[in-house]
Amino acid sequence: MASDLSEKQQSILRFLEEFIAEHDYPPSIRDIQSGCDISSTSVVDYNLKRLEEKGYIRRDREVSRAIELLNGQGERRRRTLQVPVLGKIAAGLPLPVYPDTMAPLEVIDLTEDMTSGRTGNFYALRVQGTSMIDALINDGDLVILEPRETADPGDVVAAWIVDREETTLKKYYPEGKQVRLQPMNATMDPIYEDATNVRVQGRLVGTIRSF
Amino acid sequence: MASDLSEKQQSILRFLEEFIAEHDYPPSIRDIQSGCDISSTSVVDYNLKRLEEKGYIRRDREVSRAIELLNGQGERRRRTLQVPVLGKIAAGLPLPVYPDTMAPLEVIDLTEDMTSGRTGNFYALRVQGTSMIDALINDGDLVILEPRETADPGDVVAAWIVDREETTLKKYYPEGKQVRLQPMNATMDPIYEDATNVRVQGRLVGTIRSF
DNA sequence: TTCCGAACAGAACATTTGTGCCGTGATTTG
DNA sequence: CAAATCACGGCACAAATGTTCTGTTCGGAA
């Protein structure tokens, strides 16, 4: 990529990234001029127009420092999602239903690399206990969930098993009146439950563990 | 938190977050004025000064739109680390030593929530195979590593077991001439190796799994 | 009451900053 | 070759924008 850019344009892009990383606000035309050793503001303007045409940046006209970095296909990048940590998850507890207005315990910043590029109304729960070890999820891990009451085959879901009164995290495969729940640990056998005995509470988007 | 802020200051902070999330560049004083229904630019300036004193923002004087959001303790926030994905990790392969100049296969954006606030010269590896299932790490997971050749007791390390010719991810406890390597799965027993048989190759910072 | 400081209002002022215009040289195109 | 296009340089201008200055209001302390 970036082979459709002149050397000066690449230099400007690099400068933009560095400047924004350092200051958290974009540079002015003249900042770019001196930062990239360009002789005139009009040259900077000229190349910024080319970069905008090619989908690497977006500018708001007439607004100072209004340069937004894009990914080269005209899409926004570096967007972070603020995901609220609403509580904890444990085998013996159903996922509580949290009111939208509930104040989160904590908010974590996720990048789209963590959600496979998907966006949605995610929330996070802290795993308590080792009961989900069969899902390769440990005590203290953070699970990212998308609230849902249905799931597509193959989705990893948080499901409440009614008669056992427990929450489990497994791959979801509806099979007629039954549901096959496949542990993520491939060496383990699936369990089968009657469809009426399984309540999907959310779709698992990802898990995070830090040491 | 945020109880040391007046209502107007909280309103300004919220507006700043929304504006930056939407535009990727900060608002001008007058943007804040109209966005928060404030009567005068000087009132905005006044409250921005208070916010700066209290460590919620940082401003560069005389530079337009130069407002950077801080976390309330004067620390930068929302900083993302660009972590290169340098290759893959599998039980039967030692961690290759990657030259600093090597072009990464891919770069992922991480927030500090993913690294427990630590920063460093991290890199990431994609896990191949299920051989690390005992470390609760699955095929396809991403492990974040900090290159190190020594470790403190209790660190989770990537270690090369010389005579077995395999890489393992375990908690590291030096015990005299021996090293106790404790699986992360608490139900599993540790293994003991001669210290000369264990080569620490990196410290595990975190793992990420997305579905 | 008086005093004082926090918070606000309004307007003028000085920079900062994007933009437009005119021109030049190199390269490409017909 | 002539014309068009691209990339650039220099400069002036107008708009955007942060700053400052002078007051005003209001509540609490002395």
Side-chain angles (χ1 to χ4, degrees):
Chain A
M1 83 158 220
S3 55
D4 56 333
L5 297 181
S6 75
E7 195 164 325
K8 197 159 294 191
Q9 284 159 15
Q10 292 185 39
S11 157
I12 290 176
L13 259 192
R14 260 200 310 275
F15 179 76
L16 282 173
E17 295 188 23
E18 286 170 20
F19 192 99
I20 292 174
E22 183 169 353
H23 297 90
D24 265 26
Y25 55 84
S28 68
I29 302 282
R30 285 169 179 83
D31 289 335
I32 301 172
Q33 183 188 359
S34 66
C36 297
D37 284 318
I38 293 176
S39 49
S40 170
T41 56
S42 61
V43 176
V44 178
D45 186 59
Y46 173 82
N47 283 290
L48 287 178
K49 282 187 176 126
R50 296 297 93 75
L51 284 170
E52 186 166 23
E53 286 169 4
K54 294 172 185 173
Y56 285 93
I57 62 172
R58 192 180 66 75
R59 292 212 293 167
D60 284 352
R61 303 294 209 78
E62 323 241 336
V63 179
S64 67
R65 298 172 182 271
I67 301 174
E68 179 179 355
L69 278 171
L70 303 177
N71 66 355
Q73 271 77 244
E75 296 159 4
R76 303 187 68 180
R77 69 177 199 179
R78 189 197 296 268
R79 189 153 39 169
T80 65
L81 315 173
Q82 272 72 44
V83 176
V85 180
L86 291 182
K88 56 199 178 190
I89 180 175
L93 301 170
L95 291 196
V97 179
Y98 297 98
D100 285 346
T101 57
M102 178 177 156
L105 304 173
E106 159 188 23
V107 173
I108 58 172
D109 275 344
L110 295 189
T111 59
E112 292 185 357
D113 287 317
M114 233 88 17
T115 62
S116 309
R118 280 188 289 262
T119 58
N121 183 32
F122 301 145
Y123 65 100
L125 298 173
R126 182 79 59 185
V127 174
Q128 195 168 57
T130 56
S131 58
M132 298 182 183
I133 217 106
D134 62 332
L136 300 174
I137 292 172
N138 206 3
D139 185 43
D141 287 4
L142 217 45
V143 297
I144 316 293
L145 290 160
E146 181 186 8
R148 294 190 62 169
E149 273 151 30
T150 58
D152 298 323
D155 280 355
V156 179
V157 300
W160 176 247
I161 310 296
V162 177
D163 62 0
R164 276 192 267 173
E165 294 190 349
E166 64 175 47
T167 299
T168 186
L169 299 172
K170 297 218 168 37
K171 283 197 181 179
Y172 176 86
Y173 295 98
E175 296 182 346
K177 293 187 188 255
Q178 291 232 309
V179 174
R180 171 162 57 95
L181 294 172
Q182 185 90 41
M184 270 165 290
N185 185 335
T187 66
M188 299 182 70
D189 292 326
I191 63 172
Y192 294 86
E193 295 286 346
D194 196 274
T196 60
N197 195 32
V198 175
R199 298 272 151 75
V200 172
Q201 305 197 287
R203 194 179 65 79
L204 206 51
V205 175
T207 73
I208 295 168
R209 179 182 307 144
S210 14
F211 305 103
Chain B
M1 82 157 223
S3 56
D4 56 333
L5 297 181
S6 75
E7 197 165 325
K8 196 159 293 191
Q9 284 160 14
Q10 291 185 39
S11 157
I12 290 177
L13 260 193
R14 260 200 310 275
F15 179 77
L16 282 173
E17 295 189 23
E18 286 170 21
F19 192 99
I20 293 174
E22 183 169 354
H23 298 89
D24 265 26
Y25 56 82
S28 68
I29 301 283
R30 286 169 179 84
D31 288 336
I32 301 172
Q33 183 188 358
S34 66
C36 296
D37 283 319
I38 293 176
S39 50
S40 170
T41 56
S42 61
V43 176
V44 178
D45 186 60
Y46 173 81
N47 283 290
L48 287 179
K49 282 188 177 124
R50 296 298 91 76
L51 284 170
E52 186 166 24
E53 285 169 4
K54 294 172 185 173
Y56 285 92
I57 62 172
R58 192 180 66 76
R59 294 212 292 166
D60 283 354
R61 304 293 209 78
E62 323 238 338
V63 178
S64 67
R65 296 170 184 272
I67 300 175
E68 179 180 355
L69 279 170
L70 303 177
N71 66 354
Q73 271 76 245
E75 297 159 5
R76 302 187 68 180
R77 67 178 202 178
R78 190 197 297 268
R79 190 153 39 169
T80 65
L81 314 174
Q82 272 71 43
V83 177
V85 180
L86 291 182
K88 57 198 178 192
I89 178 174
L93 302 170
L95 291 196
V97 179
Y98 297 98
D100 285 346
T101 58
M102 177 177 156
L105 303 172
E106 161 187 19
V107 174
I108 58 172
D109 276 344
L110 295 189
T111 60
E112 293 185 358
D113 288 317
M114 234 90 12
T115 61
S116 310
R118 280 188 289 263
T119 58
N121 184 32
F122 301 144
Y123 65 100
L125 297 174
R126 182 79 60 185
V127 174
Q128 195 168 58
T130 57
S131 60
M132 297 181 183
I133 215 106
D134 63 332
L136 300 174
I137 292 173
N138 205 3
D139 185 43
D141 287 2
L142 216 45
V143 297
I144 316 294
L145 291 159
E146 180 185 9
R148 295 189 61 169
E149 273 150 31
T150 59
D152 299 322
D155 281 354
V156 179
V157 300
W160 176 247
I161 311 295
V162 177
D163 62 0
R164 277 193 266 174
E165 292 190 353
E166 66 175 46
T167 299
T168 186
L169 300 172
K170 296 219 167 39
K171 284 197 181 179
Y172 176 86
Y173 296 96
E175 297 181 345
K177 291 187 189 254
Q178 290 232 310
V179 174
R180 172 161 57 96
L181 294 172
Q182 185 91 40
M184 270 165 289
N185 184 336
T187 66
M188 299 183 70
D189 292 327
I191 62 172
Y192 295 86
E193 294 287 346
D194 196 275
T196 61
N197 195 34
V198 175
R199 298 271 151 77
V200 172
Q201 306 196 287
R203 195 180 64 79
L204 207 50
V205 175
T207 73
I208 294 168
R209 179 183 307 144
S210 356
F211 305 103

